[in-house]
Amino acid sequence: MKLSKLALTVTEDDISTGLEAALKKVAEGNPQGADMMKKIKNPKVKLSDGMVIFKCKASMGILPVPIEAKIRLAPADDGQALDITLAKVSMAMMGGEMIAGQLMSQLAAAVAGKPGLSVYDNTLRVAIAQLAQLRGIELGGRLNDIAVVNGTLSLDFS
């Protein structure tokens, strides 16, 4: 299949449904993943002010701890890639660069050697055409724009 043009709009509900499915998949057949997923409660995605905001509560000890991550999406490499930048992380009363750095370090280790994925600073870079090709899709265009507005995420690819 060859894809040359696409205008896609997804809602917070669309993303939340996909997130639920992804979390279940992580837990399947992986005891460590299943244990970790049991600790995450009420995961939610909000699309606002140009950001994708992920919120959940994590069971750490006797009280659940609120966690929030603000993520910025942007075209990169003249539309050949997507940059997913961890703009801010807060966990209970803590936040800032230390937590973000630890998360990105773990993410870098997880994607090391995976085609189409790389991490630098607080950004995950996704080589769009390379990942699409793994699914048998040939991309004939580039990612022109990403807009996060009023509960929707819109991608313009041509």
Side-chain angles (χ1 to χ4, degrees), residues 12-27:
E12 291 171 348
D13 288 340
D14 297 330
I15 295 171
S16 292
T17 300
L19 177 62
E20 271 183 50
L23 292 175
K24 283 180 184 175
K25 188 165 183 118
V26 167

Side-chain angles (χ1 to χ4, degrees), residues 129-141:
Q130 191 173 3
L131 284 183
Q133 196 168 33
L134 293 173
R135 296 287 188 175
I137 300 169
E138 181 184 341
L139 294 179

Side-chain angles (χ1 to χ4, degrees), residues 46-129:
K46 184 168 175 55
L47 302 170
S48 178
D49 299 325
M51 298 277 198
V52 177
I53 303 165
F54 171 78
K55 293 182 178 188
C56 72
K57 292 195 176 181
S59 297
M60 296 181 182
I62 55 175
L63 295 174
V65 176
I67 298 174
E68 179 179 285
K70 292 186 177 183
I71 301 158
R72 187 174 40 253
L73 305 174
D77 285 344
D78 195 32
Q80 300 304 307
L82 169 65
D83 275 356
I84 304 168
T85 301
L86 183 57
K88 182 180 178 184
V89 177
S90 58
M91 191 166 129
M93 300 300 236
M94 300 181 309
E97 291 298 313
M98 185 177 80
I99 294 172
Q102 289 174 348
L103 288 171
M104 294 310 292
S105 175
Q106 290 175 0
L107 181 61
V111 303
K114 305 265 193 233
L117 300 173
S118 59
V119 173
Y120 65 95
D121 297 325
N122 283 0
T123 299
L124 170 66
R125 177 157 290 170
V126 178
I128 302 166

